[in-house]
Amino acid sequence: MSILIVIADASRARFLTADTRDAALVEGADFVHPSSRQREQDLISDGHSSGKDVSGFGHHSMREEKKAHVHEEEVFARELCSEIDKLLQRAKPGRLYLIAAPPFLGKMRAALSKQALSLVAGEIDKSLVQSSMKDIRSYLPKLL
């Protein structure tokens, strides 16, 4: 029974697997979502980039920028969860571990299918997507 570990943040994700509960982790896939890395002002198309104006009147786009960035994070979370579902059909892992910064972990949890949710054996609310395999393994239980 294989184990799937998904390490993610709003712009990158790594899928790791382990064949047994105490096996070494193997990196299977790496995903990047470039839109999440863009400046918020570049995500909106109305051309407004400033959140203030000198006269105290005018169009403020900061709210739209925040919405655009949050939207891109939600899109990426759904894409990752779709990839998880594909792996569940193909590889049939017995357990799933999620590692992500708290805000993105919540977005992923909301996007997971019922089948994937039923396999979640643990969650770690920490941003480890840039970490080494050794560091990642130190946050996981000794026996997966």
Side-chain angles (χ1 to χ4, degrees), residues 6 8-11 13 15 31 33 36 67-87 103-113 116:
V6 178
D9 64 20
S11 63
F15 282 29
F31 299 90
H33 189 68
S36 295
K67 287 181 184 177
H69 214 267
V70 168
H71 172 73
E72 287 302 324
E73 291 174 3
E74 290 168 350
V75 166
F76 189 47
R78 286 192 303 270
E79 289 173 0
L80 292 177
C81 291
S82 176
E83 289 297 323
I84 290 170
D85 285 339
K86 288 176 188 174
L87 278 172
F104 195 71
L105 182 59
K107 288 175 178 68
M108 285 187 63
R109 195 180 302 119
L112 281 172
S113 67

Side-chain angles (χ1 to χ4, degrees), residues 7-9 12-14 30 99 126-131 136:
I7 304 140
D9 64 20
R12 183 175 176 217
R14 296 166 64 191
D30 198 339
I99 303 173
K126 198 156 190 68
S127 182
L128 298 177
V129 79
Q130 300 291 338
S131 299
I136 292 166

Side-chain angles (χ1 to χ4, degrees), residues 17-144:
T17 58
D19 290 333
T20 62
R21 295 183 74 187
D22 60 350
L25 301 179
V26 176
E27 187 150 0
D30 198 339
F31 299 90
V32 177
H33 189 68
S35 296
S36 295
R37 291 183 176 179
Q38 288 181 327
R39 296 180 313 170
E40 291 181 30
Q41 66 195 34
D42 293 336
L43 292 174
I44 58 174
S45 60
D46 66 4
H48 295 282
S49 62
S50 175
K52 68 176 191 169
D53 61 327
V54 178
S55 64
F57 299 100
H59 178 62
H60 293 270
S61 63
M62 286 178 69
R63 182 169 290 143
E64 288 86 4
E65 290 174 6
K66 289 281 187 201
K67 287 181 184 177
H69 214 267
V70 168
H71 172 73
E72 287 302 324
E73 291 174 3
E74 290 168 350
V75 166
F76 189 47
R78 286 192 303 270
E79 289 173 0
L80 292 177
C81 291
S82 176
E83 289 297 323
I84 290 170
D85 285 339
K86 288 176 188 174
L87 278 172
L88 294 181
Q89 297 302 314
R90 199 173 41 230
K92 305 214 184 294
R95 287 186 188 79
L96 171 63
Y97 288 88
L98 300 174
I99 303 173
F104 195 71
L105 182 59
K107 288 175 178 68
M108 285 187 63
R109 195 180 302 119
L112 281 172
S113 67
K114 288 182 182 181
Q115 180 187 11
L117 275 172
S118 72
L119 295 177
V120 174
E123 296 177 351
I124 299 169
D125 57 351
K126 198 156 190 68
S127 182
L128 298 177
V129 79
Q130 300 291 338
S131 299
S132 70
M133 289 287 213
K134 182 178 178 182
D135 288 342
I136 292 166
R137 188 63 181 102
S138 71
Y139 282 95
L140 292 163
K142 184 170 182 158
L143 291 177
L144 298 171

